[in-house]
Every structure is written in structure tokens, then in C-alpha cells.
Amino acid sequence: IPTEGKINLFNDQLLLSKRGDVSIVDALDLVLGNSDESRESVWSLMGMTLGVARSFVDTDDELELNLKQLSAELMRTHYDRLGWTSKIGEDPNDSHLRVTAVAYMIAGRDRDAVSHALKLYTKNSNNLDRLPADLRSVILSCAVRNSDEHDSVISNLLKQYQTTASA
């Protein structure tokens, strides 16, 4: 199926599930069957489907984490292929998909992804402009949520916000 067809298919399933014509489980089955999808535009709709499913379990922290971990596992192949560093002349789709992959891995609490994000934050905490622009918000939110020095991270971010022209 061409990309446009997949976008329409996921969008239709999502809208039908929101309206109650089909079960969100049907839409999730479609997501599970397409984890090898390599187009970020399709993944954005797959992510919306996963987000709707999370909204059903948002009062249960364990189920919500399970869905986030499932999302990370669905994205693992892309995360492993794309890594953290963009390449010269890289397809823009890969650049966008990298951000999505890293964000899913961190949200799913993947140890390696969280550890890497925290190392990048620590290494660049005095000059956040050195963080990759496309991953900066993902790295910073990871540092706020996962750092052992939570208060220090927030203080640093506030200080840099007040003193940096690009903040």
C-alpha cells in the first residue's frame, strides 16, 4: 500500500474507533501489524492510535507504562537503525523518524535510550545549544523526568531560559 493509502487507512481506523464503530483493539492490531513501517508520516497516525489507547488506561499507571513500552518495542528496529546522530545528506524522513523513535524509546523507559539522553544533557548542561536541535526537547524532558538531580536540572533550565537569547 502506498504511503497515502496507509495514512488514509490509519486515519479511518482511528476516527471509526473514536466514534465507536470499530474497537480501538482493531486499530491497535493494525498498528501492531505495521511496525516495520518506515514513513514518519504514517508513524504519526500510528502514534495517534497508540495515544488514544493510552487515554483508556491513563488512570492505571502500570497499563499506561505497558502501552508505552509496547510503543517502544514497535519502534526499536527504527531506533537501532537510525541511532541518535543524523548523517550528511540523510533523507528528511529518517531525520523525522529518528526523533519519533528516540521519543518512543525514552517514553517506554528503555534503559539505554534514557541513559544516553541523560549523558547528552550532562555533557551539554552548560550550553544547551550544543544539543541536537531536533532532539533537544526530547533530551531535556528526559532529564527533567529521569535525572537523580531533578531539582538541579529544573533550576539549570530556568537559569538558561532567563539568560539565553535562543531560549
Side-chain angles (χ1 to χ4, degrees):
I1 300 176
T3 300
E4 299 81 12
K6 287 183 180 182
I7 290 171
N8 289 335
L9 178 62
F10 279 104
N11 190 51
D12 290 350
Q13 282 293 306
L14 184 59
L15 292 174
L16 289 169
S17 69
K18 282 183 175 181
R19 199 175 104 161
D21 291 340
V22 299
S23 169
I24 188 66
V25 174
D26 295 332
L28 284 172
D29 282 342
L30 189 58
V31 169
L32 292 172
N34 283 276
S35 64
D36 61 342
E37 175 56 49
S38 62
R39 302 302 302 171
E40 200 285 328
S41 55
V42 177
W43 263 103
S44 89
L45 282 159
M46 291 168 65
M48 289 171 69
T49 302
L50 292 162
V52 168
R54 278 193 307 274
S55 72
F56 289 116
V57 298
D58 66 354
T59 57
D60 186 323
D61 291 342
E62 185 178 344
L63 284 175
E64 185 175 17
L65 179 58
N66 287 342
L67 268 174
K68 286 180 179 181
Q69 289 172 334
L70 171 66
S71 300
E73 284 309 308
L74 291 172
M75 189 56 85
R76 180 165 301 283
T77 302
H78 302 297
Y79 175 79
D80 290 343
R81 176 177 66 85
L82 297 168
W84 283 76
T85 307
S86 59
K87 294 148 190 76
I88 296 173
E90 178 175 72
D91 184 307
N93 178 73
D94 283 348
S95 299
H96 294 294
L97 189 59
R98 173 179 297 101
V99 175
T100 303
V102 168
Y104 275 43
M105 298 305 285
I106 289 172
R109 298 188 185 163
D110 178 79
R111 284 189 184 112
D112 291 335
V114 169
S115 174
H116 190 76
L118 292 175
K119 285 177 187 169
L120 286 172
Y121 170 77
T122 300
K123 179 180 177 183
N124 298 288
S125 62
N126 292 326
N127 185 355
L128 300 177
D129 285 340
R130 290 189 305 226
L131 291 170
D134 55 347
L135 292 171
R136 190 174 299 141
S137 64
V138 176
I139 294 166
L140 295 179
S141 65
C142 178
V144 167
R145 289 187 178 109
N146 297 288
S147 175
D148 293 333
E149 299 169 13
H150 176 79
D151 292 340
S152 174
V153 170
I154 292 174
S155 294
N156 180 48
L157 292 176
L158 288 172
K159 181 182 109 187
Q160 288 201 44
Y161 174 75
Q162 294 168 345
T163 60
T164 304
S166 64

